[in-house]
Every structure is written in structure tokens, then in C-alpha cells.
Amino acid sequence: MSIQVRNIHKAFGSFIALDDVSLDFPTGELVALLGPSGCGKTTLLRVIAGLESADRGSVLLEGEDASATHVRERQVGFVFQHYALFRHMTVFDNVAFGLRMKPRAQRPSEAQIRGKVHDLLKLVQLDWLADRFPSQLSGGQRQRIALARALAVEPRVLLLDEPFGALDAKVRKELRRWLRNLHDELHITSIFVTHDQEEALEVADRVVLMDHGKVEQIGTPEEVYRHPATPFVYGFLGAVNFFHGRVEGEALRVGDDRLPHSGGGIDHGTEVVAFARPHELEIVTDPTEVDGVAARISRILAFGVTARVELEGANGAAGQHFEVELTRDRVAKLGLMEGQGVRLVPSRLRVFERGALGRRAEVA
Amino acid sequence: MSATAAIWSGPAGREGADRFERRAATREAPWVKWTLLGVSLSFFAVFLLLPLVAVFAEALRKGWATYWLALVEPDALSAVKLTLLAAVIAVPLNLSFGVAAAWAIAKFEFRGKQLLTTFIDLPFSVSPVVAGLIYVLVFGAQGWLGPWLSDHDVKIIFAVPGIVLATVFVTFPFVARELIPLMQAQGKEEEEAAVVLGANGWQTFWHVTLPNIKWGLLYGVILCNARAMGEFGAVSVVSGHIRGLTNTMPLHVEILYNEYQFAAAFAVASLLALLALVTLAVKTWVEHQASRANHELPPESPHPVSTS
């Protein structure tokens, strides 16, 4: 089932949680709502479920306005951040709950319920836990039971609120892969909320980035990572280095330093912020080099496949912190040492006009 | 009220105290411990244990036969009946009110919530005598509704309805007070989960909310019942002390005592004391059950936290 959100506005007192948000969630996709805490992503999820009502705007389920439909008739599956399993019921009774609460006319027989619950428990690979209570399960198991419980009523949409938020790193990684596989099996339109960019990029078909109650960018993980539309997205997805400067013809003036930049649509003299990922910065040791931002190496971390070099800006970018990622061979070849003065030259630079007004972007 | 805190501290609390004492860094000097223990135990013996023993000793001073006669005397029996009647009406009334109020306060946001919370405490803060007088002022012969009531031949003051009303008033807060903090701590997530799964309001209450609050609810009912049966002040004002008609057990005890029938007075009083002991026993059992239920909660999230 497709979900459309039209001009949703929601405020809690003076705090605006959702500011005129419009989104389309196509049928069968797994979409991530990604953003920092307080960006409105959970509120949006709850508005779609009907647990929260919007001040303005509408939610369309399969093209029909669901604003007046009660939560229990929306046929959504909701998985809560802290699972919200019924603690006085066994795992079996938890999963069977939705079926048993159906009006008598629609309610399956007890035997059918038993069969269905066992199928679902098999699907989440926990059928051996049917007689346990939620308190006797691990966090990851509880999460999967919560999912089985939500799926029992055959929802048209599956909504997950920070599904892996309360789990430790290893379980989280396993469950991520598991959720992706499950989705590929069931193909039910799903939306999950997360503040973890790695999680969103790894699991989702499509990522919606949100900040301050607004949608910043929508796209496939590849698109949003490779072509961030706004400075916020750039900063939020992965590590980033930024330079404050001014456009001067074919270059960017950062203090006394100069970064080559192939003009583009930004006017001469405009104040800008330029972004580069750690692997998009080149370290130049040649003291005669004039291009690039001067910096001093403060630390070289070479324990992984790639080495990470941390630098403090000198001259124009004084007091600023930079991070460069390069191969260990390259570190050895350049003969980098801590305390050494170098220049940073970006191989790829993304420039945004300063201030919220112009968010036009140019790739150099 | 501190009762809730007591309920939910169970075994975890004891372990904490244990560790606190075993560690040299946090241990107090032995004399502090023994002085505190001595003071509280002797206080307990003199002010609590001694009177309790005295009640039973006085009641049985003239032998079991007198004791038994004092209890089966018609006036005493009718006092017991009236007390039970008042409790049987007041407790279910306050049970349903308490659950409704606690539900409203814990799970909904509305205007005047703070006011309602404050008003629930009113019977605790007002003197029972004043509570009784309020009813006399409203329903009494010279009260606001007095003439209308006497025209329609309805008798409230100096009759059974007045006693029931006064009892309901003084036992009003017990259940609600017990449930509000408990329900607030449990949050709304489980109820939300139930509704999303298609449960209607009644199903959600019956299958999800009630099982989660049952021990707190039982605790509130026990306290409510104890107070309903033991209430003296408010009931005394509205009762009129008509023997065999409007005397509850506590009032009956007073009358017997004033008439120097000490053995009979203490015999009836011993019933009330017995009630108190039974209440304590049941209360301890409920606390034990509740702490066990509490112990089974997940260690990493004892209470589901609701998020925005």
C-alpha cells in the first residue's frame, strides 16, 4: 500500500515538530526516516500510524484520506522503540493478541490462531520461545517478537520506531540484515525511523533526511550519500571537512589560503562553506605548493585498512580540525610525521552559499 | 503517598541496603545502627504492640463466654452489619472512581488535571469531623436540601445513607492515590500497542491495563477497606448514634466504653484490631506479589519510556 503525506504541520506548544511536510512512500519499499533527535521523524511516524494527530494536513493511505480513520482501523503494524510487549503475557499470547481482539465475526478459530502464531514465530525464528515471558528474552529477541506481533494482523503498512535503538552494536548489525531479508520476503510497505546514518544507508531502499521538522532530501542511499543536497545532509551523512571562505574568480579564498575551484554559478565575493569528505582531501608535503589550506598533522591513526590523519588548521583555517583518509602505503610514501606542516588540497569540493537563503550547490 | 514507594522497592531495595552496610566505605559505626534500632523497636513496643496486646487482654479478661456474648448481642451484630454494608458500598464505588480518575490523569492531557489531582487529596487534608459536618449542612434538617428531602420523605442524616456517604467521602483518595504514580510510571506504550493491534477501549483496559495495575489496585482496595470499616469522626457526626440502627462498630465501641462496659467494648474493639491485623497480612502478601512481578521486569528498561 502506498502512503502519501500532504502538508503535515504539527506543533507541541511552541515547538514545531513537523513543518509542512509532504512525502510519498511508494508501495513495497523500505524507507528510512533519518535525522537527529528532535527532528520530527518519530512524530511523523506516529502521525502516519494515527497515534498522533496533525494540526494541519492529511495522510493518504492508498490514495484515501485516512485523517478521520481510527488507529485500529488503519491496518498499520507499529513496532515501538521499547517494544511495548505485554509483559504479563507469554510470547505466544503477545503475538496472538491482535487476532484475539478481532470482532467475533472476523476472529479466526483458536486452532487457526495457534497455526498462524507458530508460523509467525517461525518467520522470526523464535518459535522455541512461545511459552516465555518478555522479561525472559534478550533485547534482540524482544524486537523480533514485537515485529511478529505487528505482522500478525496482516498490516498494510509496517512502521518501526527506532527498531534497533536499544540494542548493542553486534545484535543491531545482525538484526539490520535480518530486517532487510524479511522485507525482501514480504514486500510490505515499511517505514523505519532512525538517527543512525549507517543503519539508514545500509537497510533502506530510500532515505528521507529530516531536520527541524523539514524534509532536507529524499533519495536512494547512493544518491543522498554521493550528492547531498544541503549542508545539513552533507554534515549528517558521514564524516566531513568544511572550509569557510569567499569565492574569488576560479578559486576559494580561505583566510590567506587559496583552494582551486572551477567557478560555477556562484558570484564573485559570495561567502560560502565548502565540504569535502575525508577521502576527498589530498595531503601535499611539497613546501613550494601554493594551493591548498595549510595545516599541521596532529595525529596519524594507522591501524585499519586505511589510515586516518588528523590535522589542525594553520594560517587561514587556524583552530579548525581536519580529517583525511588515505591508504597506509600513501602515508608511508609521503613520509608523514606528527607535527609536520602540510597543505590540504581537495580532489572534490562541494560548495554551498553561506546562510540558509541560498542552498544552491556546485561541484568543483 | 509513600505506600507506592514501599510496594515497588521490594527485593532490589533490600539488596541495596545489604551492600551499603557490607562495604567499609559506606558503613556507619555500630553504635549508630544499634541506637537507631533500639529507639525504633522500643517505640514500636510501647506505642503499637502494647495497645494491641491490651485490647485482646481486656476483651478476654472476663472469659470467652462474656466475650462471645458481647459479640452476638443484637446491637453489636447490627453495628457489624452496618459497618460491612458501608464498606461493601464505599469500596466498589471508590474502586471504580479511583481507576477512572487514575486512568484520566495518567493517560490523558486535559485542562484542570492539576486541579483534579489536588481535589482527590481533599479528604486526606480535611478533618473527618468537617467532612461529616459538610453532609449535615447539605442534607440535614436545617441544611440546604433538608426541606426538600423531608418533603419527599428521604432520610439521609442520622440514617444509613448518611453513614455510607461519609464513608465514601473519607475513603475517596485511597485507590486513585495508589494507581496514579503507578500508571504514570508505566506510560502509555502498551496501551498504544494494543490499540494499533485493533483492540477497542474496553479490551485494552481489560487485557492490558488492568493486569499491569492489579497489585497496586488490590493494595489500594485493602487500605480503602480498612479505612471504611474503621472510620470514626465523619461517621460519628452524621450517625446520630441510634442503637441497632445507625451505629457502626467504632461508634458502638465508644458507646459501650462510655457506659463502663469495658469487656464488651474491648470485645468489639478486638474485632477491629483483628481486621487491622488481617489487612496487614494481606497487604504484606500483596507487596510480596507485586515485588515479584516487578522483579520480572526487564533489567534494561523497567518501565517503557514514552518518546515524542
Side-chain angles (χ1 to χ4, degrees), chain A residues 25-78:
Chain A
F25 300 94
T27 308
E29 276 198 1
L30 177 55
V31 180
L33 291 179
L34 175 63
S37 58
C39 74
K41 55 195 192 301
T42 295
T43 308
L44 180 59
L45 198 74
R46 290 173 64 88
V47 167
I48 294 172
L51 290 170
E52 213 82 64
S53 59
D55 301 334
R56 281 197 299 279
S58 53
V59 175
L60 283 76
L61 300 177
E62 209 138 41
E64 269 177 53
D65 191 346
S67 306
T69 314
H70 193 276
V71 191
R72 75 175 79 90
E73 274 118 38
R74 287 197 188 190
Q75 287 181 275
V76 296
F78 199 100

Side-chain angles (χ1 to χ4, degrees), chain A residues 42 46 72 87-88 135 142, chain B residues 190 192 199 207 296 298 308:
Chain A
T42 295
R46 290 173 64 88
R72 75 175 79 90
R87 58 194 115 168
H88 60 282
S135 53
R142 276 180 221 166
Chain B
E190 283 187 45
E192 283 181 345
H207 294 287
E296 281 168 9
S308 62

Side-chain angles (χ1 to χ4, degrees), chain B residues 6-303:
Chain B
I7 272 207
W8 301 115
S9 65
R14 270 201 294 280
E15 269 164 39
D18 231 29
R19 219 171 35 216
F20 189 78
E21 208 191 309
R22 231 179 296 131
R23 279 201 199 131
T26 48
R27 191 165 42 210
E28 283 292 346
W31 68 265
V32 176
K33 177 179 167 183
W34 292 114
T35 313
L36 285 175
L37 264 177
V39 168
S40 48
L41 281 182
S42 37
F43 189 89
F44 166 75
V46 174
F47 289 94
L48 298 174
L49 199 59
L50 197 63
L52 196 64
V53 173
V55 168
F56 286 100
E58 281 298 319
L60 294 172
R61 182 190 287 263
K62 290 186 183 161
W64 286 96
T66 325
Y67 181 79
W68 182 248
L69 276 180
L71 295 186
V72 295
E73 190 242 340
D75 285 353
L77 275 184
S78 93
V80 171
K81 271 188 211 148
L82 184 57
T83 301
L84 289 178
L85 177 73
V88 160
I89 297 175
V91 172
L93 266 182
N94 283 329
L95 170 73
S96 28
F97 162 77
V99 173
W103 178 290
I105 287 169
K107 315 268 174 177
F108 296 105
E109 292 302 324
F110 56 91
R111 226 177 254 275
K113 186 163 153 173
Q114 206 54 50
L115 203 66
L116 179 60
T117 320
T118 315
F119 268 123
I120 287 173
D121 279 342
L122 189 69
F124 274 165
S125 50
V126 90
S127 159
V129 177
V130 177
L133 280 175
I134 293 167
Y135 285 106
V136 174
L137 275 178
V138 177
F139 299 114
Q142 271 77 47
W144 293 351
L145 302 178
W148 187 86
L149 288 172
S150 62
D151 285 351
H152 291 77
D153 208 20
V154 181
K155 217 164 155 37
I156 291 181
I157 299 304
F158 304 145
V160 176
I163 289 171
V164 172
L165 275 180
T167 309
V168 170
F169 181 86
V170 292
T171 56
F172 198 66
F174 284 96
V175 174
R177 269 282 130 207
E178 208 50 58
L179 291 184
I180 291 167
L182 179 60
M183 287 172 99
Q184 274 173 339
Q186 286 180 343
K188 319 182 230 200
E189 257 197 353
E190 283 187 45
E191 275 86 1
E192 283 181 345
V195 173
V196 173
L197 288 167
N200 61 34
W202 174 248
Q203 286 172 322
T204 305
F205 174 73
W206 189 252
H207 294 287
V208 177
T209 309
L210 198 58
N212 276 337
I213 60 168
K214 64 179 174 197
W215 295 117
L217 187 63
L218 198 53
Y219 190 87
V221 165
I222 291 167
L223 292 181
C224 181
N225 184 57
R227 180 70 190 266
M229 293 193 174
E231 176 55 27
F232 179 83
V235 171
S236 171
V237 176
V238 296
S239 138
H241 306 273
I242 307 164
R243 277 199 194 202
L245 279 179
T246 63
N247 263 352
T248 61
M249 282 163 74
L251 301 180
H252 190 61
V253 172
E254 195 212 14
I255 288 178
L256 290 175
Y257 186 83
N258 286 344
E259 290 172 353
Y260 301 104
Q261 307 184 37
F262 294 132
F266 278 106
V268 179
S270 74
L271 281 188
L272 285 170
L274 213 59
L275 169 77
L277 291 178
V278 170
T279 303
L280 280 181
V282 177
K283 178 177 150 269
T284 312
W285 178 75
V286 167
E287 275 176 2
H288 180 71
Q289 293 296 318
S291 75
R292 224 178 53 180
N294 192 41
H295 203 56
E296 281 168 9
L297 288 177
E300 62 265 44
S301 69
H303 302 297

